[in-house]
Each structure stands twice: as C-alpha cells, then as structure tokens.
Amino acid sequence: MTSAHDSPPADPLAPLEHTTLREIAASGVIRSYARSTILLNEGEEGDALYIILSGRVKVFASNAAGKEVVIDFHGPGEYVGEMSLDGQARSASVMTTEATTCAVVNRAQFRSFVLSHPDFALHLIEKLIHRCRAATENVKSLALSDVYGRLVRLLDSLAREVDGRRIIRERLTQQDIAERLGASRDMISRLMKDLVAGGYLAMENHTIIVRKKPPPGW
C-alpha cells in the first residue's frame, strides 16, 4: 500500500491542474493581450503574477544593443512573474507570441494563495528549482557546447514519451529554436535538415518526432 508520503512528486513541467488554476485565477483580474504585447519588462519592479489561461508567451533577456536570447516559452496552465514574491526587479522580459489571456494576481493576493494552498506552494517550489536548474544548464551549454550540442540538448529536454514515441509537443519554429540557442536561423535549418535526413528526427504536422538519439557530435 502506498502512503501519501510515498506518492511521486508533482511534475514541475506540468501545467497547473484545472481546479488550482480556477482558484488562483479567481483571486485576480482577467486580461486579454494582443500578439507581441510586453507583459513584463526586465529591470522593472514586479508586483504581479501572470497565469496563462490561453495563448503563449516567451521569456527573454536582451542587452542595450537589442541582442536577445530566449529563455523559455509558456502556454496555458503555466505562469510567469512568480519571482515578484521578493519585490525585486524583474530578471527577464515576457512577451506574448499570440493572442493571450491571463489572470493577473497581485503580490498580496499571490502570497495569500500560496500560504493557504500548501499543494500549490510545493508546486511553486519545485517549479523554481526546475527553472534554476534549467538556467544553470543553459549557462553551461552556452559556455561549453557548440550549436549542434545545444540543439541536441534542447530537443532531448523537450521530448516526452507518447504512445511509444518521443514527441516534442511544443510547436517550435526554427526561429524559436535559434533564439533559444543563441544561433542563426540558417544554422538551425541546416542542422535540422541533416538530422531529418539521417533518420534522427521526423516532422509530422509541424511536430518534431525524435526517432532515435542523435550522435553526440556532428
């Protein structure tokens, strides 16, 4: 018999459950945004959490010259701005990549919800740990790997087992991948074509299928 303490931990990559999503969204204000709307600006003080109800956003950082690196993408059931709990400046910017609806919850409401919902508090802790680990791995990858190595690592981290196949459910364009890896779109296009030709990847209805593990070097 399995006790509650033996149950597997929640997947920090999984979206919020519908019940939790409805409860926390009810404490905020529902707002809709057009494509390419900036929700959060890097460096500004933060006081709100954005829970994505529909649509998609990208998290990115940029420098004064306008050079941009994409950190991640998030969709329905996920949230951004959780680091506003400490009242410090935003560490990254967030922009919608399509029409998006969010529940915007201010810091006081967010703190109250976390304190009264221990399951969500645990999910938040695991999410933050996952994002810290991902940030560490990204730094290592940028410093120690070439573009091909970073591409293989990204594909492996996003692929999930579905009916015996490894599928990347997130709809990624070659430009999306290039921005995440700090590479040119042309370079990503060439590498993806080579991996498809070698039988390592397949494309089905704009979905990437990882057919077999790509070689460590190319």
Side-chain angles (χ1 to χ4, degrees):
M1 182 174 179
T2 302
S3 69
H5 295 291
D6 296 325
S7 58
D11 180 0
L13 294 176
L16 291 172
E17 294 182 359
H18 291 298
T19 301
T20 305
L21 189 64
R22 285 197 302 270
E23 288 181 5
I24 192 170
S27 66
V29 177
I30 308 299
R31 293 179 179 166
S32 295
Y33 303 93
R35 182 178 182 273
S36 299
T37 299
I38 297 291
L39 302 183
L40 308 176
N41 273 304
E42 181 181 357
E44 291 185 350
E45 289 189 9
D47 63 354
L49 173 80
Y50 289 72
I51 302 165
I52 304 163
L53 304 178
S54 65
R56 189 167 181 254
V57 305
K58 73 173 179 179
V59 183
F60 67 98
S62 57
N63 62 15
K67 186 176 181 180
E68 179 182 301
V69 60
V70 174
I71 299 169
D72 212 342
F73 291 88
H74 298 301
E78 298 182 288
Y79 47 88
V80 293
E82 71 282 353
M83 293 177 72
S84 65
L85 269 176
D86 67 359
Q88 298 299 307
R90 301 287 190 188
S91 57
S93 299
V94 177
M95 183 178 75
T96 61
T97 59
E98 58 187 67
T100 300
T101 300
C102 297
V104 184
V105 183
N106 67 38
R107 183 161 62 239
Q109 293 167 325
F110 184 29
R111 289 177 64 91
S112 176
F113 189 88
V114 169
L115 292 172
S116 60
H117 294 75
D119 287 344
F120 175 74
L122 181 59
H123 185 280
L124 176 62
I125 291 169
E126 291 172 343
K127 176 72 78 174
L128 289 171
I129 291 171
H130 166 73
R131 290 182 178 177
C132 285
R133 288 187 188 279
T136 300
E137 288 300 318
N138 284 340
V139 170
K140 288 167 58 179
S141 180
L142 286 169
L144 303 175
S145 301
D146 58 13
V147 175
Y148 172 77
R150 298 202 295 272
L151 174 61
V152 168
R153 179 185 168 276
L154 176 65
L155 296 175
D156 184 62
S157 69
L158 294 177
R160 294 290 177 271
E161 195 78 20
V162 179
D163 297 328
R165 299 195 303 170
R166 299 196 73 215
I167 295 176
I168 297 175
R169 290 178 168 174
E170 187 175 340
R171 295 296 181 90
L172 292 173
T173 66
Q174 291 179 353
Q175 184 61 41
D176 289 337
I177 295 172
E179 290 177 353
R180 282 205 193 189
L181 301 182
S184 70
R185 184 184 177 282
D186 287 344
M187 173 66 79
I188 297 303
S189 177
R190 289 197 298 271
L191 290 173
M192 292 291 286
K193 285 179 180 177
D194 287 346
L195 288 170
V196 169
Y200 299 100
L201 302 180
M203 301 297 298
E204 296 181 8
N205 298 321
H206 304 290
T207 298
I208 302 173
I209 313 296
V210 181
R211 301 179 62 184
K212 57 184 179 180
K213 186 177 179 63
W218 197 255

